[in-house]
Amino acid sequence: MAGKVTFFDSSLSFPSNRNTQGFQSASPETSRFAPLSKAQHELDGSAQAQDQISRCFNKLRSLRPSDSATLKTELNLLFDQLISENYSSGNHDNIHAEVVCEMLIHASRLVPLSQEHLFIKLCQLIHQLLNQLQVIVDEHTLDVLVSYCSRALRTCNSWTHPEVLLALSSLVYGNGSKCNRHLPELLGLNGILVNYGDPSQPDIELRRSAVHCIANLCLSVPGQPYLEEPYKGVCYGILLRTLQTPKPPDVEDIVFCSLLQSALKGMQYFLNGGKWKSVPNQDLGTLMAVLKRFMFYGLPGISVEMPQVLYPAPLPQYEAIPAAKPEPSQDTTAQKKTVGSQQNKKRKSRGKGKKAGPEGKKDEEEGEGDHISGPLKTRGGGVDQTSWTLGSQSTSVTSPSGATPQFYPSWKKGSSDSEFSDPEGGMQSKLRLYQARVRQSALQCFLAVVKCVEKRILYGYWSSFVPDAPGIGGPPPLTLLTIALKDPSPKVRAGSLQVLSALLEGSRQFLSTAEDTSVPRQAFTPFSATLAASVRELHRCLLLALVAESSCQTLTQVLKCLAHLVSNVPYNRLRPGLLSPLWKQIRPYVRHRDVNVRVSSLTLFGAVVSTQAPLPEIQLLLQQPVSTSGLSTPGISTPQELSHNWRHPARRDGEASSPGGGVEGAPEGPCWLLQLCMSLVTQPREELYSDSDAGGSSGASLEPSPVRLEALQVLAHLVKGYFSLAQTSLLELGQLSARCLTEQEPSVQLHGAKLLEELGTGIIQQYRADANTPPSAKCVSVCQVVEFWSEVLGGPLISALQNEQHPTLQTSACDTLSSILPQAFSQLPDKTQMLCITILLGLTYSENSLVKAAAVRALGVYILFPCLREDVMFVADTANAILTALEDRSPNVRAKAAWSLGNLTDTLIVNMQSVGLEFQEEFSDMLLLNMLRSATKASGDKDRVKSNAVRALGNLLHFLQPVHLGKPVFEQPLLESMRALIETVRGDATMKVRWNACYALGNAFRNHNLPLGSAVWSQEAYSALSYVVTSCKNFKVRIKSAAALSIPSTRERYGDAHQFAEVWQALAQALEHSEETEDFLEYRYCASLRSQLCHALLHLLSVCQPDDLTALRSSLTDQSRPVLQSFLVHYLSNKGVTLVAGVDGAAGEEAGDHAVPEDGLMVLNETLTRLKGQLEEAVLDSSEDLKTVVNFFEDVVRNFEEVKESDSTQ
């Protein structure tokens, strides 16, 4: 079916269009759809236009093919009338694509190819209708008209071919995959487009039209297949050769620019057709070299010969730069001569601030035109009166006057290169306009490369596009930053920043190798230092771009690019000082007149306070008094300060200060960024905005919604990373969140709830025993926390929990409710506690899966509260709600329910140890049975459910008492649960699941009431653990299985001699081969694994019986004896004992897996004493085995004593 679509996405950097030289096309900036508020006469004009088109179509449809002159005359008149219409206007929105297709097919039947002039008019009509109405033809129309044009290219005179190719390009636009029948004729061997698009084609108009047609063939509409091979490769070859071929001497520059733009657009469409694949004829380095050349095409002051191929390397690529021209040196001399006068003018210009505003606005509007390639005018001389240093050691924007500005933006110099200095429509201005479009298309193509090529491959070309030094003493390196600083077109500058942002996005792993904190090496420069220098240069250049930029659109891109950079740089591996200049410069932009700039500056603040928080450098900046961080600080004013400072900063900074006064200038005052964001959310704006940001605000007098939302996000990041600074305003932040929850806009409510959750989480982390809280940070008292939550729970949070119209808000409110400090919850009024519990229990039956999952998770948090876990009724209600959620259809709900069930069973174990039989007797046997059955069933679910289900099974098996085991109803569920654990240990689940399963089996072994050793599942359990301890690739799983094998406290629980021998031999074999692994990352767990295995072996030795000695002796062969002996000696020296209990300290669960001996030598000596006593009573058959074992461990003790003695003498 034919369809009307929007051809191009007019992004802020790359407005695409289908424009071809000499033909009018629909521009992305042109509004095709008339608003509802159009005047009545415009509606009448639309109706008249519709009637006229309808009459023309009806007239055309009534005509029949003939050779009469009358038909030719009528067709000429009809075509002229249809071509004269401007279909880009809103008067033709109701023309359906089907009508256009039918009309064009009928017209093609009326016009024979012999009537070439009439045929040319039809081609123009096809191009104009499809282009301006943005119609993609259906398959039938495509087939008919492409065949029609193909015949014309074979039979008509060559002067008609450019027009035919333009019509053909409009037909195949987005239809490349549907042209399979015609592709051999168009792109096959000696195909029409192959011949006409070849660089050897002398007719530039034919060549340009053919390349444009090839570009449109490469385009694919979303949802449609891409052009298939080998035709896709043919198109790539033609487009690449077009870009590599120099301009013929007889071709005008503007025409050649149009050819390049079509080729680059086609290359972009090609790259958008899927992931990049390295094939013999498609070399990435060649394409990157071509794109880099055209990124600087026609850029004033840049003359460089790029290499034919760029190679992936950590070193900069060679670029042949011609001899220096006299102009740059003259500019430099002139700049040096005028430095003193510039400083004087800077002092005088402060009185001209009132005139700067209107002029700045006017020039800004000029600079943001569709195609701006000349330099922009400065506002009141503000830019020309500022000098910057570009020295490699300085990151400050302001500098001494003697510096030579290598990167001084050419578009800021006010030179005669400006396109506005030429008369309107001058050829020089037009040429610069087309050259800027070529650079813009090259950057757009580069952006497509970044999206389709794997980052690990792309980062090999990092040094070709990102500088690592300022280039002192020579020309600056040609990189993306060169364009951002020197290109006269704001859209091209924005395009380079957009590409750089795409490169930086997700670059954390690549940049993590950067380091410059160590002493620099003299012999060579490591890659880590080179990358660190590149990171520093990125900060320096982007800071220059931030200060120099005047286009709001491009300024937004600078801030976004900085945010991507800050989010991915490892500042803890770099010397401090990178963020301080940036921090000082971005603050004025929070008050910029453009809403997008304000939002982007807040986004950048959020990135700074969230990256690797807490950073000492940022902590110091946040602690600066308000007076020293304001705009009046010397050295941080920007060239745009007069236009930015449209508010009164004194009031904005101080209006949210604490009532006590004296905060300004006091080190102990509230964090200024926190106060600023709070005021942006709550305080009314002081002036009317000059941009169109009044819409979207939740209140007529408040900041626009995007600004308020971004400010709330900054507050959330600030609370999360620097809670010690935010805690002084705890109650104010709670009131702010409560106010957000009362607003009508859901997004503001969500961000308010998120801020509450971060506040609660920050309080909990301060009260954790293992929290890394600095001694200087004062914890919030429990009384303050109780007051905080009393106000929150007495406010709109409860209403948000009950708001069924906004389930996302309910979900966030549940997460907020789960972040209450347990110590504070116990001091809340009983009525408030009951309200929270009742609401959460009710929400577990919500129809929305997200709400249900959040409520179940919150109950899983509450079940661990000391004031609730001993309440049998609450535990029972929570268990029933969790078991119901485990049956839910949503995997997310089941995963949260399994996690909560694991927490609930942890509570059962804690109560069993602290409360005792009283709790166990009150807890329902039937509920316990249901929990056992549900956990067993969940252990067969997906891995994210299974990992917590097996944890719950281990706790439940540990909790079972003789009264339960004596009931027949528990017999089968017990067997099924044990087999579920065994299968999980042996299975192919994720390592986290198998780790939990091993932990669960060890937990079950702790229950002395279980018939371990005599039950039918005992042998299977020991075999599974023995298999894992010797064969699992993951050492953490091996450690956990070895820990489980060392838990049984008596010999009887290990089963018969055969079973004991299997466990012993598995542990001995695992210890002997504990350094063998295929994964290098597992080596970090080798010491912990050996310590755990040695502990398990000594434990088995301590409980062994004479019947087990044969198995022990068989493991002590001549080959394995020295290896085992060395590991045991190392273990006894206490070098590895401390690692056993903390194998995986993240969960903190292993500490109780086994009792680590305080003195391993004492345990071994006691065992040797017992074995020697047995040796005296042993019969001849067993004495040899016993002697071998005793001798082995005596040698271990002897060697240990020797090692200890040698260590003491050193």
Side-chain angles (χ1 to χ4, degrees):
M1 290 295 294
K4 183 180 290 187
V5 300
T6 301
F7 277 89
F8 298 104
D9 177 17
S10 57
S11 64
L12 55 90
S13 297
F14 298 120
S16 307
N17 60 40
R18 302 179 65 188
N19 190 23
T20 306
Q21 176 67 16
F23 293 92
Q24 186 178 10
S25 66
S27 172
E29 290 79 12
T30 304
S31 176
R32 293 183 53 251
F33 299 99
L36 294 177
S37 60
K38 283 283 188 180
Q40 186 60 40
H41 70 275
E42 293 183 359
L43 296 176
D44 295 340
S46 176
Q48 293 175 4
Q50 295 290 342
D51 292 340
Q52 185 176 359
I53 295 295
S54 179
R55 285 195 300 270
C56 291
F57 174 69
N58 291 332
K59 179 66 175 176
L60 189 63
R61 186 169 53 181
S62 65
L63 299 177
R64 294 292 179 267
S66 68
D67 295 332
S68 63
T70 305
L71 175 64
K72 187 182 299 184
T73 302
E74 289 182 350
L75 286 175
N76 267 303
L77 292 174
L78 283 173
F79 288 166
D80 288 340
Q81 189 171 3
L82 289 171
I83 292 173
S84 65
E85 286 289 330
N86 180 16
Y87 299 98
S88 300
S89 65
N91 296 335
H92 305 91
D93 290 340
N94 295 326
I95 299 178
H96 298 291
E98 293 81 1
V99 175
V100 175
C101 293
E102 184 182 353
M103 181 172 65
L104 292 179
I105 289 178
H106 188 69
S108 68
R109 294 168 181 164
L110 296 175
V111 180
L113 296 178
S114 58
Q115 300 177 10
E116 293 183 347
H117 286 85
L118 193 58
F119 170 68
I120 288 302
K121 288 189 176 182
L122 177 57
C123 289
Q124 293 175 355
L125 179 62
I126 291 173
H127 179 69
Q128 184 170 345
L129 280 175
L130 298 183
N131 205 34
Q132 293 189 3
L133 290 176
Q134 298 185 356
V135 170
I136 293 181
V137 299
D138 56 50
E139 291 192 41
H140 174 66
T141 306
L142 178 71
D143 187 59
V144 171
L145 294 182
V146 169
S147 299
Y148 182 67
C149 292
S150 299
R151 291 198 306 272
L153 290 170
R154 290 195 303 268
T155 59
C156 295
N157 290 322
S158 59
W159 67 272
T160 65
H161 290 185
E163 302 287 353
V164 180
L165 288 173
L166 280 178
L168 184 62
S169 68
S170 299
L171 290 168
V172 301
Y173 184 87
N175 280 321
S177 60
K178 299 178 182 177
C179 297
N180 291 328
R181 194 169 74 87
H182 305 282
L183 288 178
E185 187 178 7
L186 297 175
L187 295 174
L189 190 63
N190 296 322
I192 297 172
L193 298 180
V194 173
N195 292 332
Y196 285 163
D198 192 87
S200 61
Q201 170 60 240
D203 191 334
I204 193 65
E205 289 295 334
L206 271 177
R207 183 180 167 197
R208 184 179 63 174
S209 300
V211 169
H212 185 64
C213 192
I214 290 172
N216 286 354
L217 273 171
C218 291
L219 176 69
S220 177
V221 178
Q224 298 292 333
Y226 297 105
L227 191 67
E228 296 180 355
E229 296 290 353
Y231 303 110
K232 189 176 179 181
V234 172
C235 292
Y236 176 84
I238 295 175
L239 295 172
L240 185 63
R241 289 195 301 273
T242 300
L243 295 172
Q244 290 175 323
T245 305
K247 182 180 79 68
D250 57 340
V251 176
E252 294 182 2
D253 289 333
I254 292 180
V255 176
F256 189 67
C257 285
S258 298
L259 173 64
L260 293 177
Q261 192 175 0
S262 295
L264 288 167
K265 184 61 66 175
M267 188 64 74
Q268 179 200 347
Y269 293 156
F270 173 88
L271 294 168
N272 289 337
K275 291 295 182 182
W276 176 268
K277 297 179 180 178
S278 296
V279 295
N281 296 326
Q282 295 179 15
D283 178 60
L284 182 59
T286 304
L287 176 61
M288 299 287 272
V290 168
L291 294 181
K292 184 171 183 178
R293 177 158 63 96
F294 287 110
M295 283 161 46
F296 299 94
Y297 185 77
L299 186 62
I302 298 296
S303 177
V304 63
E305 297 178 5
M306 297 290 178
Q308 293 295 317
V309 182
L310 292 181
Y311 297 100
L315 300 177
Q317 302 290 328
Y318 170 78
E319 295 168 354
I321 300 178
K325 296 181 180 180
E327 287 80 358
S329 61
Q330 293 173 2
D331 290 344
T332 304
T333 306
Q335 290 165 7
K336 289 183 177 180
K337 289 179 180 179
T338 59
V339 166
S341 61
Q342 284 179 356
Q343 291 180 340
N344 294 331
K345 289 180 182 178
K346 184 176 180 181
R347 298 190 188 98
K348 297 177 182 179
S349 66
R350 297 181 184 271
K352 301 179 182 180
K354 294 182 180 179
K355 295 183 180 180
E359 294 176 5
K361 180 179 178 182
K362 178 179 178 181
D363 291 325
E364 179 104 6
E365 291 171 354
E366 289 180 354
E368 289 186 9
D370 290 345
H371 303 285
I372 302 297
S373 61
L376 300 175
K377 300 177 183 178
T378 60
R379 278 173 260 174
V383 174
D384 291 336
Q385 297 157 4
T386 306
S387 61
W388 296 278
T389 180
L390 297 164
S392 61
Q393 302 300 321
S394 175
T395 57
S396 176
V397 178
T398 57
S399 71
S401 59
T404 302
Q406 302 268 7
F407 268 147
Y408 193 90
S410 60
W411 48 275
K412 286 284 189 181
K413 293 180 181 178
S415 67
S416 60
D417 291 335
S418 170
E419 69 181 12
F420 299 111
S421 63
D422 294 322
E424 188 69 21
M427 289 302 297
Q428 213 41 37
S429 172
K430 191 175 183 180
L431 175 59
R432 282 197 295 271
L433 175 65
Y434 274 74
Q435 288 173 341
R437 290 178 180 176
V438 171
R439 297 196 298 273
Q440 186 178 346
S441 297
L443 288 167
Q444 188 175 10
C445 196
F446 190 8
L447 184 62
V449 170
V450 176
K451 293 179 179 179
C452 74
V453 178
E454 291 185 41
K455 287 291 181 70
R456 61 182 181 84
I457 298 175
L458 202 60
Y459 288 145
Y461 301 91
W462 176 270
S463 59
S464 298
F465 298 96
V466 180
D468 59 4
I472 298 177
L478 298 183
T479 62
L480 290 168
L481 274 307
T482 311
I483 303 172
L485 289 167
K486 300 196 67 170
D487 200 289
S489 170
K491 289 193 174 183
V492 177
R493 297 196 300 272
S496 68
L497 293 164
Q498 195 173 7
V499 173
L500 185 58
S501 296
L503 273 174
L504 291 171
E505 187 177 5
S507 62
R508 183 172 302 171
Q509 184 176 1
F510 171 68
L511 295 179
S512 64
T513 58
E515 184 178 12
D516 64 357
T517 55
S518 58
V519 179
R521 303 185 183 186
Q522 302 297 329
F524 70 96
T525 303
F527 178 70
S528 59
T530 303
L531 195 56
S534 179
V535 169
R536 290 190 172 276
E537 186 66 7
L538 275 173
H539 281 78
R540 189 184 69 86
C541 293
L542 286 175
L543 196 57
L544 282 176
L546 177 69
V547 174
E549 190 57 63
S550 60
S551 167
C552 293
Q553 193 179 37
T554 311
L555 190 57
T556 302
Q557 284 299 317
V558 176
L559 292 167
K560 288 182 178 179
C561 189
L562 279 168
H564 282 296
L565 175 66
V566 169
S567 299
N568 291 281
V569 168
Y571 291 101
N572 52 359
R573 295 169 58 90
L574 303 175
R575 296 193 308 272
L578 281 177
L579 291 173
S580 297
L582 177 63
W583 182 273
K584 295 176 182 178
Q585 290 296 339
I586 60 178
R587 187 174 183 190
Y589 295 94
V590 179
R591 303 183 183 92
H592 196 277
R593 62 186 178 86
D594 185 83
V595 65
N596 293 319
V597 174
R598 296 202 297 279
V599 171
S600 299
S601 62
L602 287 171
T603 302
L604 180 51
F605 266 125
V608 171
V609 298
S610 63
T611 181
Q612 302 157 36
L615 284 174
E617 183 179 359
I618 299 302
Q619 191 137 8
L620 290 174
L621 291 170
L622 287 169
Q623 290 174 332
Q624 285 182 353
V626 176
S627 61
T628 62
S629 58
L631 291 174
S632 60
T633 305
I636 69 168
S637 58
T638 67
Q640 305 95 330
E641 181 175 336
L642 291 177
S643 63
H644 291 160
N645 194 14
W646 58 283
R647 299 176 189 263
H648 303 290
R651 177 182 173 186
R652 174 64 73 189
D653 291 338
E655 63 192 2
S657 300
S658 60
V663 174
E664 188 168 348
E668 297 298 328
C671 171
W672 67 266
L673 180 59
L674 183 143
Q675 298 296 324
L676 173 65
C677 292
M678 289 177 63
S679 64
L680 289 174
V681 175
T682 59
Q683 299 298 323
R685 47 185 174 180
E686 299 167 2
E687 296 183 20
L688 294 177
Y689 286 89
S690 60
D691 50 21
S692 58
D693 59 308
S697 175
S698 59
S701 62
L702 295 177
E703 291 278 357
S705 289
V707 176
R708 301 180 69 214
L709 295 176
E710 204 63 42
L712 285 169
Q713 287 195 17
V714 174
L715 284 174
H717 291 314
L718 191 59
V719 169
K720 183 177 182 179
Y722 301 89
F723 182 77
S724 60
L725 299 177
Q727 66 184 13
T728 56
S729 303
L730 181 63
L731 296 180
E732 291 86 349
L733 288 170
Q735 294 168 1
L736 171 68
S737 302
R739 172 173 174 170
C740 291
L741 288 172
T742 60
E743 297 196 12
Q744 298 297 320
E745 190 171 348
S747 56
V748 176
Q749 294 176 320
L750 282 173
H751 282 76
K754 179 63 177 176
L755 179 57
L756 273 179
E757 182 187 354
E758 292 295 349
L759 287 168
T761 304
I763 294 171
I764 291 174
Q765 289 178 348
Q766 275 202 347
Y767 275 82
R768 283 182 179 169
D770 58 344
N772 298 321
T773 305
S776 59
K778 300 176 181 178
C779 284
V780 182
S781 66
V782 176
C783 294
Q784 288 178 298
V785 180
V786 172
E787 181 184 358
F788 170 77
W789 282 112
S790 296
E791 291 187 10
V792 169
L793 295 173
L797 182 60
I798 301 300
S799 300
L801 285 165
Q802 297 172 331
N803 190 350
E804 297 182 357
Q805 302 300 321
H806 298 289
T808 309
L809 178 61
Q810 283 184 294
T811 302
S812 185
C814 287
D815 293 336
T816 302
L817 213 57
S818 66
S819 63
I820 301 178
L821 183 70
Q823 296 93 316
F825 187 86
S826 62
Q827 296 187 23
L828 290 173
D830 293 342
K831 181 179 179 180
T832 304
Q833 295 185 30
M834 187 59 63
L835 179 62
C836 295
I837 294 170
T838 303
I839 290 177
L840 289 177
L841 287 171
L843 289 177
T844 58
Y845 297 96
S846 172
E847 295 181 358
N848 187 281
S849 60
L850 292 176
V851 177
K852 185 183 296 186
V856 169
R857 179 192 171 277
L859 287 175
V861 174
Y862 278 26
I863 199 66
L864 298 175
F865 285 6
C867 62
L868 294 178
R869 67 188 179 202
E870 296 180 5
D871 186 342
V872 178
M873 294 302 297
F874 171 72
V875 174
D877 291 341
T878 302
N880 286 318
I882 292 173
L883 294 182
T884 303
L886 271 176
E887 303 294 331
D888 196 84
R889 291 180 300 175
S890 170
N892 185 45
V893 174
R894 297 198 303 273
K896 300 294 184 184
W899 180 82
S900 297
L901 182 62
N903 287 0
L904 190 148
T905 55
D906 287 341
T907 295
L908 297 182
I909 301 301
V910 173
N911 288 340
M912 181 180 68
Q913 297 170 353
S914 61
V915 182
L917 294 176
E918 181 181 353
F919 180 85
Q920 299 174 20
E921 292 174 355
E922 292 182 13
F923 197 76
S924 170
D925 293 352
M926 188 56 63
L927 180 58
L928 184 64
L929 181 63
N930 291 335
M931 291 170 63
L932 192 62
R933 287 172 174 168
S934 296
T936 304
K937 181 180 178 182
S939 66
D941 206 332
K942 296 182 178 180
D943 283 352
R944 49 190 301 219
V945 180
K946 185 184 299 184
S947 61
N948 284 295
V950 295
R951 175 167 72 98
L953 273 180
N955 285 329
L956 289 170
L957 292 172
H958 184 189
F959 182 77
L960 292 176
Q961 299 302 309
V963 64
H964 305 127
L965 299 174
K967 296 181 179 180
V969 70
F970 276 90
E971 183 178 349
Q972 188 63 26
L974 172 63
L975 180 61
E976 292 176 356
S977 61
M978 290 300 303
R979 285 180 175 168
L981 289 178
I982 293 168
E983 290 174 3
T984 306
V985 169
R986 283 184 171 273
D988 56 354
T990 61
M991 295 305 169
K992 178 181 178 181
V993 174
R994 299 180 70 184
W995 186 95
N996 278 343
C998 292
Y999 173 80
L1001 273 180
N1003 205 359
F1005 289 174
R1006 299 179 190 277
N1007 190 345
H1008 299 284
N1009 301 312
L1010 290 179
L1012 183 62
S1014 59
V1016 292
W1017 45 262
S1018 295
Q1019 183 178 357
E1020 298 176 11
Y1022 283 122
S1023 297
L1025 291 172
S1026 300
Y1027 169 76
V1028 169
V1029 82
T1030 56
S1031 62
C1032 185
K1033 297 179 180 179
N1034 187 281
F1035 277 16
K1036 293 172 72 175
V1037 177
R1038 288 197 195 187
I1039 293 168
K1040 188 52 60 179
S1041 61
L1045 289 172
S1046 65
I1047 286 176
S1049 56
T1050 62
R1051 172 63 186 83
E1052 292 76 14
R1053 297 180 65 80
Y1054 281 100
D1056 56 18
H1058 176 74
Q1059 184 63 61
F1060 186 90
E1062 180 184 353
V1063 174
W1064 173 274
Q1065 290 172 358
L1067 291 171
Q1069 180 184 351
L1071 181 61
E1072 183 180 351
H1073 302 283
S1074 58
E1075 293 185 340
E1076 299 176 7
T1077 178
E1078 299 176 0
D1079 189 355
F1080 178 77
L1081 296 177
E1082 297 298 326
Y1083 277 109
R1084 54 183 169 171
Y1085 302 114
C1086 276
S1088 299
L1089 176 60
R1090 289 194 296 268
S1091 296
Q1092 185 63 71
L1093 290 170
C1094 290
H1095 168 76
L1097 285 171
L1098 291 180
H1099 174 70
L1100 262 68
L1101 181 66
S1102 66
V1103 299
C1104 70
Q1105 298 297 324
D1107 294 341
D1108 306 319
L1109 296 176
T1110 304
L1112 270 62
R1113 180 186 178 186
S1114 63
S1115 64
L1116 302 177
T1117 61
D1118 294 339
Q1119 182 178 1
S1120 60
R1121 186 185 184 102
V1123 178
L1124 296 176
Q1125 192 175 90
S1126 65
F1127 287 147
L1128 287 169
V1129 169
H1130 184 78
Y1131 171 75
L1132 291 175
S1133 65
N1134 284 331
K1135 294 180 180 179
V1137 173
T1138 56
L1139 297 174
V1140 180
V1143 173
D1144 188 13
E1149 294 171 339
E1150 283 117 310
D1153 284 353
H1154 57 270
V1156 179
E1158 296 180 0
D1159 188 354
L1161 182 61
M1162 181 181 67
V1163 175
L1164 183 56
N1165 284 331
E1166 292 177 356
T1167 304
L1168 282 175
T1169 301
R1170 180 174 63 86
L1171 292 178
K1172 289 178 180 178
Q1174 294 178 1
L1175 183 60
E1176 296 175 358
E1177 303 173 358
V1179 295
L1180 186 61
D1181 296 336
S1182 60
S1183 61
E1184 290 299 323
D1185 297 334
L1186 188 54
K1187 284 181 182 179
T1188 303
V1189 173
V1190 170
N1191 291 337
F1192 171 79
F1193 284 103
E1194 284 181 339
D1195 290 342
V1196 169
V1197 174
R1198 188 182 309 108
N1199 290 338
F1200 165 71
E1201 295 291 347
E1202 294 175 356
V1203 170
K1204 186 176 179 180
E1205 183 179 353
S1206 63
D1207 290 342
S1208 61
T1209 57
Q1210 290 179 355

